[in-house]
Amino acid sequence: MEKSSVKKIQSLFFSFFSGLDRQLGLILLGLAAVGFFTFLSASQNTPVQIADELRNLALSFLVMWIVSRIPPKWLEMGAVWIYGLGVALLIAVAVFGLIKKGARRWLNIGIVIQPSEIMKIAMPLMLAWYFQKREGIQKTWDYAVAGIILAIPVFLIARQPDLGTALLVFAAGLYVIILAGLPWKWILPFVGIGVVGILLIIIFGSTICAHDVAWPFVHNYQKHRICTLLDPSSDPLGKGFHTIQSMIAIGSGGFFGKGWFQGTQAHLEFIPEKHTDFIFAVFSEEFGLLGNLVLLALFFALIKRGLAISASAPNLFTRLLGAAVTLIFFTYAFVNIGMVSGLLPVVGVPLPFISYGGTALVTLGFGAGILMSIHRHRRLVQS
Amino acid sequence: MVSFKKPDLDSFQERIHIATLFVTFCFLLLVTRLVWLQLVSHGKYALLAESNRIALVPAPANRGLIIDRNGIVIGRNYSALTLDVNAEEVKGNVDQLISELSEIIDISPRDKRNFKRSLEDSRNMGTFPLRAMLNEAETARFMANRYRFPGVEIRARSFREYPYNELASHLIGYIGRVSQRDKERMQSEIESSKADDPDALQASFLPGIQYVGKIGLEQSYETVLRGVPGYDQVEITAGGKPVRTLSSSPSIPGKNVVLSVDIKLQYLVEQLYGNFRGAFVAIEPETGDILAFVSKPNFNPNDFVEGIDSVTWKELNDSPQKPLYNRPLKGIYPPGSTYKPFMALAALENKKRTPSQTISDPGYFDFGNHTFRDDKKGGHGIVDMQKSIVDSCDTYYYMLARDMGVNMMHDFMKPFGFGQITGIDLQGESKGVLPSTEWKKNTFKKPEQQKWYEGETISLGIGQGYNSFTILQLSHAMANLTNNGVVMKPHLVKAIEDPFTRNRVLTTPKESYRIDLSQENIDVIKKAMVEVNVSGTSAAAFKGAGYVAGGKTGTAQVFSLNSKEYKHGSTAEFLRDHALYIAFAPADKPTIVIAMVVENAGFGAQYAAPIARKALDYYIEGKWPKEVPEWKRAP
């Protein structure tokens, strides 16, 4: 090959990656690598799934690359449309949706999609757009409108029912609202109620979980879920089984872990959803506390970097959007690890970039792309 | 483009800081949780993971054989094809599976019940037989349809089999599936046995024990016959699917038990009883070996092995013939006149009579205001001891009983084993009653019942009254007398055989104790009993015998064997007297003693003695009576 053509390819290669935040890129690469290697162990030689996972990772990366090229301005302009489309699809789901396992969450439009997934990005986009619009003239009333924007899709998702996703979408929106400047006097009482509530549940758990005690505003199965969290052994073969088995997997991993492909809990099918929501248990069992610390460090670095990008973003829209996306990553990671390690109730939340699953990876790639785009376009806008 | 507004950015930065703090706090929470799980509680969870993944798959041990004294196998195992179902595969739709399988293989309601019961017991782990003993056609049909039934397979299994069916059923007993109660009992046995004994620990692997001896020798020699179940340590998935075998511990087959019983003699006696009910115990006096242990009618123990069906069970259980009742072990009968030789010996030993001392028998004996009658109207006239036995003179023994008193009789009879547990190697032996004043005091509640009345002593002399013994006790007592007072514990099993080396270990060769008796006195009694068969009540039965045998007939009034139930139905027959007979032969050096009862048959001489004669002819001379089908060895 001629020298010039080599250079040409080189420059093409670099221009392809130019504008991608190097730090963020490396962290994501690290997470994807952890995810892929854990997935290999968890999936146990099913070539179809491995090919799937590789395709999903590539797709996620491609989406990230494309989104990183899109100027934030375009996102701002598209925000309302995306949100509108998301809500429309959610309504469509409520009307024509497919029912699987007792829940109506999916829509068949040639391919089967889960519109609530779109909302995870559409919600912060919409609210960031809204607060950008109202910048400088914020009034109490604006938070009420934001609340309505938030409530509609959350309500639609919650009644599918998909409490996990509803909470995540709600959290995504809430982050924007709080970061946009929701007064502390409104936030703190809720934080207080939350903390006191959790403490009460922990202290009086055994009393209020007694069989004949009914909880106000809460379904029996939801009460059951919280109660099994407090004491998984109360239902060792039912709801508690997953938590107990994943805790056994994590605990038996010890400091160094059992080694890649050596996890007995994972390989003998004691871990449910072991390549999706519970993949952290597989990782934990095989790589131990050491591996977990590395993984948590990667996530922490991802969040730090995301928040740093947001802090130096040019306008309110990009700042709010970037921070919200970053905090969604955090929420995913925290809720997933918390649930797998028995700290939080079991809700269907994937571990970002680690869990198998196309839709989640694409959404996450989209989110990462937004951060990259904000980073890439900061100087362009500022100058 | 909107320009920066300082306060906004500051407030945003501030909130980013707070978010960072919040995120840090949450991550520390996770780290703490992980440290707690992976460092502090690691040991506990490592153990849990280990116990999660390993299952012990039982490998049942081959059960020991039951062999008669001449090497004839009467309890054995055979291999047959079984339809096995993996419990995990059929969770939830057992009925559908069974109905689909029923199209090609005959599955009875009993099979279905048994299978469901095992499923429930097992909590859906492991493989269970649904239908045993498949024939060729069924096997072929299943193999052709096999693809339709994942989790169902055909396997060879070992089954217990009693090749001679009813023969000796009461002494062999049978095995059956382990019940919840059996399990609990075994568990407590294991816990009470030494924990550091590796055999006991391995035997504690209860899932490997699927069958257990329920009655008879199968029950009393359970631990010998059972062997030690082995197991494979298998790595399993959460669903219980085996992945690979980590280690295996082979089973140790059970040992064979070698009976002292001569099964041909047993067979002959069972045939001779025909449709009569009764009990027959033959003992080799020198060793205590039980040569025959007959309880008629009997039952087929093969019916019980895989769980008996309700129709057969009801038939057996409700039958007035009580085929399930182990008569020689549990049935108690008054010994009647068979008691007289023992009474005579007691008189000699206690110096209450001499052999030549006579009484005059008017045909009755008055005591207080009650008259005790003799069988023979007008009486036997002048009676000495030998005549009292040969002619079975009641009056002689009424007087003797009065002269000895109840306690002297009790003290003499007790070492012979009357009213005592003989210690035979079967469970559930009846004790019977050997009366004494103390016995009466301890047995009854009201003071007026506790008092011994002199009148009650009189009928004890002729083996009636409170006297009630098992045929086993009677035979044992006869053996003790014939053995000149040396008491050998009666036993059905004489040796335990190693299945591989064929080495035999004798189980009970030693004497229990000696009764201090004068040989002279014993000889008087033996001589009188020999005379019984020459010129006495059983002379007809022993006419032309090629050996000298001693004997004594007896007739017992019916009252003891569940007499209440006999009141309805075929009353007349069930109220007839029991015919008893005791014997020993050859007289100079006895190798066999017999005690027997033929229920509701009438006179002992007519019904019992002829059976004893034929049994002795066979045992001593090898003569087989023409009317009894030849013994055929089971294939």
Side-chain angles (χ1 to χ4, degrees):
Chain A
M1 224 183 276
E2 283 173 51
K3 255 193 178 167
S4 60
S5 64
V6 171
K7 266 202 172 149
K8 218 174 174 182
I9 290 169
Q10 255 181 8
S11 73
L12 210 73
F13 185 79
F14 282 118
S15 73
F16 183 82
F17 285 106
S18 71
L20 292 184
D21 181 48
R22 193 176 299 164
Q23 269 187 50
L24 205 57
L26 285 174
I27 292 166
L28 292 179
L29 219 57
L31 285 173
V34 167
F36 184 68
F37 284 112
T38 313
F39 174 80
L40 284 183
S41 176
S43 71
Q44 283 182 53
N45 314 319
T46 44
V48 177
Q49 277 193 334
I50 293 169
D52 255 20
E53 173 71 356
L54 281 172
R55 192 201 62 205
N56 288 340
L57 280 171
L59 192 65
S60 173
F61 184 82
L62 186 70
V63 167
M64 180 183 82
W65 184 81
I66 293 169
V67 175
S68 74
R69 305 265 136 185
I70 298 173
K73 192 74 203 158
W74 292 15
L75 287 173
E76 201 178 330
M77 293 190 298
V80 182
W81 297 106
I82 296 175
Y83 176 84
L85 177 73
V87 172
L89 288 174
L90 281 176
I91 292 168
V93 165
V95 183
F96 327 102
L98 302 173
I99 298 178
K100 289 191 219 166
K101 297 180 196 167
R104 195 189 282 272
R105 297 177 190 169
W106 296 269
L107 206 58
N108 192 348
I109 49 159
I111 53 163
V112 175
I113 59 161
Q114 191 179 339
S116 56
E117 207 61 39
I118 296 170
M119 265 302 146
K120 287 175 182 169
I121 296 296
M123 179 63 77
L125 262 180
M126 176 68 196
L127 284 170
W129 171 85
Y130 177 73
F131 284 111
Q132 176 72 62
K133 277 272 163 283
R134 312 291 300 164
E135 196 186 13
I137 46 168
Q138 283 175 17
K139 294 197 177 111
T140 309
W141 164 250
D142 293 321
Y143 294 109
V145 172
I148 293 164
I149 293 172
L150 177 61
I152 293 167
V154 168
F155 169 77
L156 286 170
I157 298 168
R159 66 181 289 274
Q160 285 179 348
D162 186 356
L163 212 60
T165 309
L167 280 172
L168 284 172
V169 170
F170 177 75
L174 197 66
Y175 290 140
V176 179
I177 296 175
I178 290 172
L179 290 167
L182 186 69
W184 288 113
K185 61 177 181 184
W186 292 10
I187 301 170
L188 289 177
F190 286 101
V191 174
I193 289 170
V195 170
V196 170
I198 288 168
L199 285 178
L200 283 178
I201 287 175
I202 290 170
I203 295 166
F204 298 106
S206 54
T207 321
I208 54 173
C209 282
H211 203 74
D212 45 353
V213 180
W215 293 8
F217 316 117
V218 174
H219 281 292
N220 239 341
Y221 80 91
Q222 288 162 337
K223 170 196 165 187
H224 192 62
R225 209 176 268 194
I226 294 171
C227 289
T228 24
L229 175 75
L230 292 173
D231 180 14
S233 60
S234 67
D235 187 11
L237 294 173
K239 292 273 186 294
F241 182 82
H242 291 185
T243 313
I244 290 175
Q245 294 302 339
S246 63
M247 276 163 64
I248 291 174
I250 297 169
S252 66
F255 186 77
F256 291 105
K258 295 177 184 170
W260 193 31
F261 275 95
Q262 303 299 313
T264 58
Q265 285 286 103
H267 287 262
L268 299 172
E269 292 160 24
F270 285 95
I271 299 174
E273 314 277 335
K274 63 178 171 172
H275 54 267
T276 57
D277 288 355
F278 278 75
I279 197 165
F280 177 72
V282 178
F283 176 79
S284 251
E285 187 184 16
E286 301 195 343
F287 298 97
L289 184 60
L290 203 63
N292 282 339
L293 292 175
V294 170
L295 184 65
L296 285 176
L298 278 173
F299 276 122
F300 195 70
L302 174 72
I303 292 150
K304 284 288 279 183
R305 183 64 197 149
L307 290 178
I309 288 171
S310 314
S312 61
N315 61 358
L316 190 60
F317 173 75
T318 47
R319 267 181 263 149
L320 289 178
L321 183 62
V325 165
T326 308
L327 289 176
I328 290 171
F329 289 170
F330 155 74
T331 310
Y332 271 46
F334 178 72
V335 171
N336 180 280
I337 296 176
M339 131 191 136
V340 176
S341 64
L343 213 54
L344 296 174
V346 175
V347 284
V349 175
L351 189 59
F353 306 104
I354 311 282
S355 288
Y356 171 84
T359 319
L361 269 174
V362 168
T363 313
L364 290 161
F366 200 100
I370 288 174
L371 286 177
M372 299 254 179
S373 159
I374 292 168
H375 177 69
R376 177 184 158 93
H377 292 93
R378 93 208 121 151
R379 252 176 265 119
L380 297 176
V381 177
Q382 263 176 332
S383 59
Chain B
M1 195 90 304
V2 185
S3 60
F4 269 31
K5 282 189 180 168
K6 217 38 177 167
D8 266 3
L9 186 61
D10 280 349
S11 120
F12 180 76
Q13 300 280 24
E14 181 192 292
R15 292 199 175 204
I16 286 289
H17 281 309
I18 290 167
T20 311
L21 275 177
F22 176 68
V23 167
T24 311
F25 170 78
C26 287
F27 270 71
L28 284 177
L29 207 64
L30 290 182
V31 170
T32 313
R33 177 67 175 174
L34 294 172
V35 166
W36 171 258
L37 289 176
Q38 299 192 294
L39 288 187
V40 182
S41 316
H42 168 63
K44 170 185 147 194
Y45 286 115
L47 215 67
L48 283 173
E50 197 65 10
S51 65
N52 244 348
R53 81 184 173 104
I54 292 170
L56 300 179
V57 176
N62 239 345
R63 200 170 172 88
L65 305 177
I66 301 177
I67 306 170
D68 101 320
R69 70 188 287 128
N70 298 313
I72 298 167
V73 177
I74 56 176
R76 66 187 179 189
N77 311 305
Y78 76 103
S79 195
L81 295 180
T82 302
L83 197 67
D84 273 12
V85 179
N86 186 331
E88 195 214 341
E89 298 268 356
V90 297
K91 260 180 221 167
N93 50 11
V94 184
D95 291 311
Q96 198 202 333
L97 176 83
I98 291 177
S99 80
E100 278 172 32
L101 276 168
S102 301
E103 290 163 18
I104 52 170
I105 286 170
D106 188 32
I107 295 166
S108 72
R110 177 178 137 204
D111 293 330
K112 197 172 158 179
R113 267 200 312 278
N114 284 339
F115 177 70
K116 282 188 165 176
R117 204 168 48 213
S118 345
L119 272 191
E120 282 160 22
D121 291 350
S122 69
R123 283 202 277 141
N124 294 336
M125 296 276 249
T127 300
F128 300 95
L130 173 57
R131 226 311 287 285
M133 293 172 244
L134 297 178
N135 61 34
E136 269 176 46
E138 286 173 322
T139 310
R141 272 202 302 275
F142 176 77
M143 291 318 273
N145 287 282
R146 195 177 165 183
Y147 66 94
R148 286 168 55 197
F149 304 105
V152 183
E153 55 187 298
I154 287 184
R155 239 193 234 177
R157 265 177 193 261
S158 175
F159 290 93
R160 193 61 158 177
E161 182 195 37
Y162 307 103
Y164 299 103
N165 298 314
E166 283 86 0
L167 180 59
S169 54
H170 286 279
L171 79 95
I172 302 172
Y174 51 79
I175 63 166
R177 282 167 188 277
V178 171
S179 68
Q180 195 53 43
R181 249 176 56 206
D182 293 326
K183 263 185 198 159
E184 282 157 19
R185 185 174 43 75
M186 287 191 279
Q187 190 70 54
S188 66
E189 273 169 20
I190 288 152
E191 276 158 18
S192 62
S193 75
K194 275 177 257 156
D196 50 25
D197 175 4
D199 274 1
L201 272 183
Q202 201 182 14
S204 75
F205 184 51
L206 291 179
I209 303 168
Q210 289 168 329
Y211 292 92
V212 67
K214 298 285 187 180
I215 63 163
L217 292 173
E218 290 277 30
Q219 179 191 38
S220 54
Y221 285 86
E222 167 65 22
T223 50
V224 174
L225 290 164
R226 182 202 294 152
V228 180
Y231 52 83
D232 290 345
Q233 277 202 321
V234 176
E235 196 172 69
I236 53 155
T237 65
K241 256 188 213 138
V243 179
R244 63 192 162 122
T245 303
L246 301 173
S247 74
S248 58
S249 153
S251 62
I252 302 166
K255 295 199 166 77
N256 302 333
V257 296
V258 180
L259 304 191
S260 52
V261 172
D262 181 335
I263 205 67
K264 282 194 203 170
L265 176 65
Q266 175 93 16
Y267 166 76
L268 174 62
V269 175
E270 288 190 8
Q271 295 291 320
L272 290 170
Y273 264 75
N275 289 328
F276 278 115
R277 295 175 302 281
F280 179 106
V281 177
I283 298 179
E284 185 176 79
E286 210 179 312
T287 55
D289 281 7
I290 292 177
L291 301 169
F293 190 85
V294 173
S295 182
K296 285 283 282 188
N298 37 15
F299 58 90
N300 189 344
N302 289 310
D303 289 341
F304 288 83
V305 175
E306 290 294 314
I308 189 160
D309 65 278
S310 57
V311 177
T312 313
W313 170 249
K314 210 169 142 49
E315 233 165 63
L316 287 172
N317 217 24
D318 294 351
S319 164
Q321 309 269 348
K322 302 220 163 278
L324 294 174
Y325 194 67
N326 190 330
R327 287 174 162 80
L329 188 72
K330 297 181 178 183
I332 52 172
Y333 308 84
S337 299
T338 62
Y339 206 44
K340 286 172 181 165
F342 299 94
M343 282 296 295
L345 186 59
L348 294 174
E349 288 289 321
N350 286 296
K351 311 237 182 315
K352 292 287 178 188
R353 294 286 186 277
T354 65
S356 55
Q357 206 175 347
T358 59
I359 61 137
S360 175
D361 171 21
Y364 60 90
F365 173 68
D366 281 327
F367 187 84
N369 47 14
H370 188 84
T371 299
F372 294 87
R373 299 203 173 277
D374 198 296
D375 272 359
K376 193 174 176 184
K377 261 195 179 162
H380 296 274
I382 305 299
V383 178
D384 69 355
M385 182 170 280
Q386 174 153 326
K387 193 176 176 197
S388 78
I389 293 175
V390 176
D391 290 354
S392 207
C393 170
D394 288 346
T395 310
Y396 186 92
Y397 290 95
Y398 292 142
M399 291 176 174
L400 180 56
R402 177 201 58 196
D403 293 350
M404 286 174 61
V406 60
N407 288 335
M408 184 183 279
M409 283 187 262
H410 169 270
D411 293 349
F412 180 81
M413 297 299 175
K414 189 178 169 184
F416 280 85
F418 286 110
Q420 315 300 317
I421 297 291
T422 64
I424 189 182
D425 41 359
L426 285 181
Q427 292 177 29
E429 195 183 346
S430 288
K431 200 170 172 230
V433 175
L434 177 65
S436 67
T437 50
E438 202 185 328
W439 165 81
K440 209 180 175 200
K441 212 163 83 191
N442 294 335
T443 306
F444 294 97
K445 280 194 187 120
K446 293 178 190 160
E448 66 270 23
Q449 289 175 321
Q450 290 179 330
K451 188 178 178 290
W452 185 268
Y453 296 98
E454 283 298 309
E456 291 173 329
T457 309
I458 309 305
S459 50
L460 295 182
I462 59 159
Q464 299 285 350
Y466 289 117
N467 284 323
S468 56
F469 310 125
T470 64
I471 295 306
L472 171 64
Q473 283 168 357
L474 192 56
S475 184
H476 178 52
M478 191 66 244
N480 296 337
L481 190 152
T482 339
N483 208 25
N484 304 320
V486 179
V487 177
M488 305 300 295
K489 193 178 182 183
H491 53 263
L492 290 160
V493 170
K494 60 190 259 162
I496 304 294
E497 185 184 73
D498 187 291
F500 299 119
T501 63
R502 298 266 157 180
N503 282 340
R504 287 183 176 188
V505 182
L506 289 182
T507 44
T508 51
K510 282 188 201 142
E511 65 180 61
S512 302
Y513 54 88
R514 266 164 207 261
I515 309 167
D516 192 19
L517 298 169
S518 139
Q519 188 61 46
E520 206 183 317
N521 292 341
I522 294 171
D523 291 342
V524 171
I525 306 301
K526 285 186 184 169
K527 190 168 158 260
M529 287 180 74
V530 167
E531 195 56 33
V532 170
N533 285 354
V534 175
S535 63
T537 45
S538 47
F542 278 87
K543 205 172 163 191
Y547 50 90
V548 181
K552 181 73 195 83
T553 55
T555 304
Q557 289 153 16
V558 168
F559 74 91
S560 67
L561 186 56
N562 297 318
S563 52
K564 271 182 210 157
E565 287 184 31
Y566 290 165
K567 275 180 187 157
H568 52 274
S570 45
T571 312
E573 196 216 326
F574 280 111
L575 283 176
R576 268 184 231 153
D577 291 342
H578 297 323
L580 288 126
Y581 188 68
I582 57 175
F584 61 91
D588 51 339
K589 199 179 184 313
T591 54
I592 179 170
V593 302
I594 289 168
M596 61 184 293
V597 63
V598 185
E599 284 182 13
N600 311 116
F603 291 111
Q606 201 182 339
Y607 292 95
I611 294 177
R613 163 75 195 272
K614 282 166 192 153
L616 291 176
D617 277 359
Y618 164 71
Y619 191 72
I620 293 168
E621 299 186 304
K623 278 192 202 159
W624 195 267
K626 280 188 217 79
E627 71 270 26
V628 177
E630 274 300 314
W631 163 264
K632 265 197 236 111
R633 218 180 172 116

